[in-house]
Amino acid sequence: MTGVCGCCGALRPRYKRLVDNIFPEDPEDGLVKANMEKLTFYALSAPEKLDRIGAYLSERLSRDVARHRYGYVCIAMEALDQLLMACHCQSINLFVESFLKMVRKLLEADKPNLQILGTNSFVKFANIEEDTPSYHRSYDFFVSRFSEMCHSSFEDPDIRTKIRMAGIKGLQGVVRKTVNDELQANIWDPQHMDKIVPSLLFNLQSGEGTESRSPSPLQASEKEKESPAELTERCFRELLGRAAYGNIKNAVTPVLMHLDNHSLWEGKTFAVRCFKIIMYSIQSQHSHLVIQQLLGHLDANSKSSATVRAGIVEVLLEAAAIASSGSVGPTVLEVFNTLLRQLRLSVDYELTGSYDCTNIGTKIIKEHEERQLQEAVIRTIGSFANTLPTYQRSEVMLFIMGKIPIPGMHFTLPSTGSGPEGNRMIQVMLLKSLRQVTCGFQTTNMLTALPNSFLDPLLSFALLEDAEIRLLVLEILVSLIDRHDNLPKFSTISIISDISVLKLKVDKCSRQDNLFMKKHAQHLYRHIYLCSKEQSSVQPHFEKLYSLLALISMELANEEVVVDLIRVALALQDLALSNEEALPVYNRCAVHALSSAYLNLISQLTTVPAFCQHVHEVIGMRQKEIPYLLPEDVFIENPTIPKTLEKLEGEVLFQQVKITEVLGGSGYNTERLATPYVPQFTDEDRLSKRRSVGETISIQAEVESRNSPEKEERTPAEEITFETLKNAIVDSVGVEEQEKERRRQVVEKFQKAPFEEIAAHCGARASMLQSKLNQIFEITIRPPPSPSGTITSSYGQTQSRSVPVYEMKFPDLCVY
């Protein structure tokens, strides 16, 4: 019997005998290394036998697993691993199939040790670069099984941790094996990403509690250093780092769904952490894709609670800061349009108090939550704007300005149904957004960066009665003009005896700045003057007005601008002295303080000693006699203001004649200095402060009356002299009264006159227009004079005789 067995054993194939010889009698002795070397040499010498060796090892391993001989199972897997590492021939594909079959068998086992053993073998296999591609290999089972292991709920916490870490390593191996091989199954397909990404996020979230304890490096053991959360983050970063342009969406979408399903937006911390990992891991040129997905998700959650929307906006804020210039991508205005739309929706929800939700019906909102969301959106708009170059930021400023409902004009935003209060809130929120965009805005050419289409609507808001809106406009103007970071030095109004301690940065006014001021200076002066006379102005308004005057003096001032600014300051003093405006006593004192503080500054900037001396003398007299006209006594918490202001005169006032005299000696324009500043009232007031329909008609009627036939005859030109201009300025008050009376008569005529009379008036205009057109046509149709000469009519008048062009005789110098 023994001879028969020996004979049968000798007839077994050599590869089987070599495989059998690597297994010792006692599995605790481990793999027989000498016999393993023989098996490896045989496999390298006869690579066509490799698939049979793998099949036989797989057969033995299956049998050992079934018989619970786990020692031999470990030996078989070790042998498979060594053969994989040693052999790189074309026949390895068939051997790999046997290997993966064995790994699958181990992963399906109930024993955690076998699952971990199979995972470790798969990770070693994943690190091998194969020489030949495989067209039919599938990793679907491994993705599903490793994802399941990542969610292990084993009772023993240590074993549970090991299983989860094995699952994370397995997913990392699958990604490494498939992500760069176009012939393998596409791991970026949603069916795979929907399993891989949530599994990683689950472990990342589970490790937050343990990481918060923050053990010191000396106390941290190797086990804590290799925590599932750290391993997960490393795996997640590797996955995202390998993502190409077309795969970003499939990788980010499961993240958004996971945060939705587990209500993780409201906490913000984990969501921000996830997207920080994403933004730092992906290639920088793909950043805008993540931003676009977040914006789309924000739109999709328009009916979600304010805390959810605020969480998404906070993530956008952090992502934009990381992505820098690549965050916005090609669709710049679309990004800001989405954020502004969310801002408007939040205002609507706050005003209505509820909104319709598709899942739970009508939901009552909390006002403070909506306010937090609005502030978050505004900060995010500023964060995005900071990543843009100057020319794009100018476009964004124009875009936001186009969204703000302007008084007296059509509303760009749809009607919210909430009335004037809704429009006011939208104005405030959009102006706050604009303030964020203009923060840090610097341009060398303000004329192109701030066109009329932006400045005119912005300045019209400075005339509104709403104090908050006026303050926002002033803050925006200050941000736009401050290009050398001088603003912090003028945050408060004070009398500075020596401005050299401020270390101001002053550059020479460029040609572009001169053109800008030549075009817009009078508008700026006018709005500064009108803002100062608003009764609702408080300390922040006067501080911003002071900052605006000071920054214009340093950023945009030439000699002509300096003269005009001094005239404006003196006009403010006259405004505070006048009783016609019915300003409160505090406002009159504040205007005096504003004027004195600015004249003190501009006198030192001009470096004219006599001018500085006059200003210091006036300020010294005020400090002795009437300190409540200086900023140190006005702009404090509890100012001591008298109930009434007595008539001021003499040495406590800045004298225009004296200032004109001292500046004239230094080469300044004395005629301009001697002319008091009077703001020009234009139709812009109609845009900011709504008037009645009758007054609107009067403006139209005034234009019509100026073009009426009765006014057709021209008066002879009057010689304009200095006396004429002086009389015009002095008589301006009477002219204004006459203008008001004439307007009243025109309005009364249109309101009370019969329809036939108004129709006849319009008919006269039409006939006049027709006669003018006939004259123009007659002139244009008349033939040109002929070079051939003229003919004389019977009345002695010369008439041009029409000659065809080809018969005309031109001088030689005119012929080419």
Side-chain angles (χ1 to χ4, degrees):
M1 191 67 183
T2 304
V4 174
C5 290
C7 179
C8 292
L11 294 176
R12 289 167 61 79
R14 185 182 178 190
Y15 73 88
K16 286 189 177 182
R17 284 185 278 123
L18 290 172
V19 169
D20 290 337
N21 290 338
I22 67 174
F23 292 93
E25 293 184 2
D26 187 0
E28 294 183 0
D29 294 339
L31 184 69
V32 181
K33 294 184 178 180
N35 293 334
M36 186 64 212
E37 291 177 0
K38 294 179 182 179
L39 177 61
T40 304
F41 179 77
Y42 177 76
L44 292 172
S45 303
E48 68 276 1
K49 299 293 184 179
L50 192 58
D51 58 330
R52 298 186 184 183
I53 294 173
Y56 184 59
L57 274 170
S58 175
E59 180 185 341
R60 284 204 56 153
L61 188 141
S62 299
R63 186 168 63 246
D64 292 336
V65 170
R67 296 175 180 177
H68 304 289
R69 296 193 293 188
Y70 301 124
Y72 288 120
V73 172
C74 295
I75 293 173
M77 289 307 302
E78 185 178 353
L80 284 169
D81 293 342
Q82 291 191 22
L83 288 174
L84 270 176
M85 299 295 292
C87 302
H88 294 280
C89 60
Q90 294 182 354
S91 304
I92 197 173
N93 278 332
L94 297 177
F95 177 71
V96 168
E97 293 303 320
S98 301
F99 169 79
L100 293 178
K101 183 179 178 182
M102 287 300 93
V103 173
R104 188 180 298 114
K105 190 76 175 177
L106 294 178
L107 292 176
E108 289 174 346
D110 296 333
K111 297 289 184 179
N113 291 337
L114 295 183
Q115 297 175 12
I116 296 171
L117 178 63
T119 302
N120 293 335
S121 295
F122 183 84
V123 171
K124 292 177 183 177
F125 161 70
N127 293 326
I128 297 174
E129 294 184 5
E130 300 182 48
D131 296 334
T132 55
S134 174
Y135 298 92
H136 58 281
R137 197 179 301 163
S138 174
Y139 294 96
D140 293 358
F141 167 80
F142 296 101
V143 172
S144 301
R145 183 58 184 154
F146 289 140
S147 298
E148 184 181 347
M149 292 170 65
C150 289
H151 292 84
S152 174
S153 56
F154 201 83
E155 295 179 358
D156 190 336
D158 292 335
I159 296 178
R160 181 172 64 243
T161 300
K162 290 180 179 179
I163 294 175
R164 289 184 178 181
M165 291 185 68
I168 297 167
K169 292 178 181 178
L171 290 177
Q172 189 178 29
V174 172
V175 172
R176 288 179 179 175
K177 198 65 182 174
T178 59
V179 74
N180 292 325
D181 192 348
E182 296 179 357
L183 299 175
Q184 301 286 5
N186 189 2
I187 201 67
W188 300 105
D189 286 344
Q191 59 178 347
H192 299 310
M193 285 289 107
D194 290 345
K195 297 175 183 176
I196 295 175
V197 174
S199 301
L200 297 177
L201 295 180
F202 173 77
N203 284 277
L204 195 63
Q205 182 185 0
S206 300
E208 280 196 327
T210 58
E211 288 182 355
S212 62
R213 292 195 296 267
S214 301
S216 64
L218 297 176
Q219 296 174 343
S221 63
E222 291 296 327
K223 179 180 178 181
E224 287 175 331
K225 290 180 181 178
E226 192 65 12
S227 66
E230 293 174 347
L231 180 62
T232 300
E233 183 174 341
R234 190 163 61 251
C235 178
F236 194 31
R237 290 183 184 275
E238 182 178 346
L239 173 68
L240 295 166
R242 296 173 181 267
Y245 180 86
N247 303 325
I248 295 293
K249 182 178 180 181
N250 290 343
V252 175
T253 300
V255 178
L256 299 174
M257 299 305 297
H258 181 83
L259 296 174
D260 283 343
N261 296 334
H262 296 273
S263 302
L264 296 174
W265 292 112
E266 299 179 5
K268 300 179 186 178
T269 306
F270 181 71
V272 169
R273 182 187 176 195
C274 286
F275 276 89
K276 278 187 175 180
I277 294 174
I278 293 173
M279 299 304 292
Y280 280 122
S281 301
I282 62 174
Q283 300 176 41
S284 59
Q285 65 268 28
H286 300 159
S287 299
H288 69 278
L289 297 176
V290 180
I291 301 295
Q292 288 177 4
Q293 276 195 267
L294 280 168
L295 289 168
H297 198 66
L298 180 61
D299 274 344
N301 284 272
S302 296
K303 295 296 183 68
S304 300
S305 64
T307 52
V308 171
R309 286 176 282 138
I312 301 175
V313 171
E314 287 286 348
V315 171
L316 270 169
L317 175 64
E318 296 291 339
I322 295 170
S324 187
S325 59
S327 63
V328 177
T331 56
V332 177
L333 296 182
E334 185 59 33
V335 172
F336 290 92
N337 189 37
T338 301
L339 292 172
L340 293 176
R341 183 165 59 247
Q342 292 298 322
L343 195 61
R344 179 174 57 83
L345 284 174
S346 179
V347 171
D348 291 347
Y349 294 158
E350 181 182 350
L351 291 171
T352 57
S354 63
Y355 57 84
D356 295 330
C357 189
T358 54
N359 298 328
I360 58 175
T362 302
K363 183 173 181 179
I364 306 300
I365 62 99
K366 298 179 180 178
E367 183 176 341
H368 71 280
E369 292 180 353
E370 292 294 340
R371 287 292 176 91
Q372 291 174 358
L373 169 63
Q374 292 160 13
E375 295 299 325
V377 172
I378 291 171
R379 289 198 308 272
T380 305
I381 289 174
S383 179
F384 274 107
N386 289 335
T387 66
L388 297 176
T390 301
Y391 73 95
Q392 281 188 327
R393 199 186 289 201
S394 298
E395 292 180 1
V396 172
M397 287 157 51
L398 278 171
F399 181 74
I400 296 177
M401 181 59 69
K403 294 283 185 180
I404 306 177
I406 300 177
M409 299 181 67
H410 66 278
F411 291 158
T412 306
L413 292 172
S415 178
T416 59
S418 52
E421 179 60 22
N423 289 324
R424 181 199 168 276
M425 288 187 64
I426 291 174
Q427 287 174 346
V428 170
M429 291 302 164
L430 294 181
L431 285 172
K432 285 183 177 180
S433 304
L434 190 59
R435 181 183 60 184
Q436 285 288 335
V437 173
T438 57
C439 184
F441 178 78
Q442 292 185 352
T443 178
T444 55
N445 191 348
M446 296 192 69
L447 195 61
T448 56
L450 305 175
N452 287 343
S453 55
F454 175 80
L455 271 182
D456 290 347
L458 179 64
L459 292 176
S460 69
F461 286 108
L463 303 180
L464 291 180
E465 296 178 357
D466 192 298
E468 184 179 5
I469 291 179
R470 291 204 315 275
L471 182 60
L472 287 171
V473 172
L474 291 173
E475 290 174 348
I476 292 170
L477 286 172
V478 166
S479 297
L480 291 172
I481 296 176
D482 182 28
R483 294 176 293 180
H484 294 88
D485 298 325
N486 287 319
L487 177 59
K489 300 162 187 175
F490 300 106
S491 57
T492 58
I493 308 180
S494 60
I495 302 295
I496 304 170
S497 58
D498 185 7
I499 62 170
S500 60
V501 298
L502 298 178
K503 298 180 180 179
L504 301 173
K505 300 176 183 177
V506 183
D507 284 347
K508 186 178 180 181
C509 190
S510 65
R511 179 175 176 273
Q512 291 84 358
D513 292 341
N514 286 333
L515 291 174
F516 176 82
M517 289 305 291
K518 188 174 182 180
K519 187 174 183 180
H520 299 292
Q522 295 304 321
H523 292 288
L524 291 173
Y525 304 152
R526 175 172 176 268
H527 286 83
I528 291 172
Y529 182 86
L530 295 179
C531 283
S532 301
K533 64 187 291 188
E534 289 288 344
Q535 297 184 9
S536 58
S537 295
V538 291
Q539 179 176 342
H541 294 84
F542 293 107
E543 289 175 347
K544 289 302 174 186
L545 286 169
Y546 175 68
S547 300
L548 184 57
L549 287 166
L551 291 173
I552 292 176
S553 304
M554 288 180 294
E555 298 282 353
L556 303 170
N558 52 29
E559 184 175 318
E560 182 180 346
V561 172
V562 169
V563 170
D564 285 340
L565 288 172
I566 294 173
R567 291 173 60 217
V568 171
L570 293 172
L572 292 178
Q573 177 180 261
D574 295 339
L575 170 67
L577 292 172
S578 173
N579 294 323
E580 296 179 2
E581 301 297 337
L583 283 175
V585 176
Y586 173 82
N587 289 59
R588 295 172 65 186
C589 293
V591 172
H592 273 297
L594 170 63
S595 175
S596 61
Y598 177 68
L599 286 173
N600 173 69
L601 174 68
I602 195 67
S603 65
Q604 296 184 59
L605 288 175
T606 55
T607 64
V608 178
F611 185 23
C612 296
Q613 182 181 357
H614 172 66
V615 171
H616 290 162
E617 287 175 356
V618 174
I619 292 175
M621 289 300 298
R622 289 189 179 185
Q623 289 173 343
K624 294 178 182 178
E625 300 181 7
I626 44 176
Y628 50 82
L629 297 188
L630 294 176
E632 286 78 7
D633 281 36
V634 176
F635 301 117
I636 55 177
E637 187 173 353
N638 295 312
T640 55
I641 303 295
K643 294 182 180 180
T644 58
L645 273 183
E646 298 179 358
K647 186 176 181 180
L648 302 174
E649 56 185 12
E651 297 179 349
V652 295
L653 296 178
F654 300 99
Q655 303 297 328
Q656 186 161 5
V657 177
K658 178 69 173 177
I659 294 175
T660 303
E661 179 183 347
V662 296
L663 288 179
S666 299
Y668 287 89
N669 189 339
T670 54
E671 292 186 6
R672 195 174 185 87
L673 274 169
T675 306
Y677 173 78
V678 178
Q680 300 175 355
F681 290 89
T682 65
D683 289 344
E684 190 178 358
D685 291 333
R686 182 171 51 87
L687 299 179
S688 57
K689 296 181 180 177
R690 303 294 302 277
R691 298 179 174 179
S692 65
V693 178
E695 288 179 304
T696 306
I697 294 175
S698 70
I699 296 174
Q700 300 170 351
E702 178 185 353
V703 175
E704 293 176 358
S705 63
R706 288 176 181 174
N707 298 328
S708 62
E710 291 79 9
K711 300 277 184 175
E712 186 174 351
E713 296 182 0
R714 296 183 179 178
T715 58
E718 181 182 357
E719 183 181 358
I720 300 176
T721 62
F722 177 74
E723 291 297 328
T724 306
L725 293 175
K726 184 177 179 181
N727 293 333
I729 294 172
V730 172
D731 297 340
S732 60
V733 177
V735 172
E736 187 175 348
E737 292 296 330
Q738 295 176 5
E739 185 74 12
K740 288 181 180 180
E741 178 63 22
R742 192 178 62 81
R743 281 192 174 192
R744 189 189 63 77
Q745 293 175 359
V746 173
V747 171
E748 185 177 356
K749 174 183 177 182
F750 271 81
Q751 288 177 342
K752 298 181 179 180
F755 176 76
E756 292 78 7
E757 183 179 344
I758 298 176
H761 178 72
C762 296
R765 286 190 66 236
S767 61
M768 174 189 174
L769 175 63
Q770 186 62 44
S771 64
K772 292 294 183 183
L773 288 175
N774 291 336
Q775 294 177 14
I776 294 171
F777 291 149
E778 184 180 352
I779 294 172
T780 55
I781 295 173
R782 181 182 301 165
S786 171
S788 61
T790 58
I791 59 175
T792 305
S793 65
S794 59
Y795 298 100
Q797 296 176 344
T798 59
Q799 297 180 351
S800 299
R801 180 168 57 88
S802 179
V803 177
V805 176
Y806 57 84
E807 292 184 1
M808 291 182 181
K809 296 184 182 299
F810 295 95
D812 293 338
L813 294 176
C814 297
V815 180
Y816 178 70

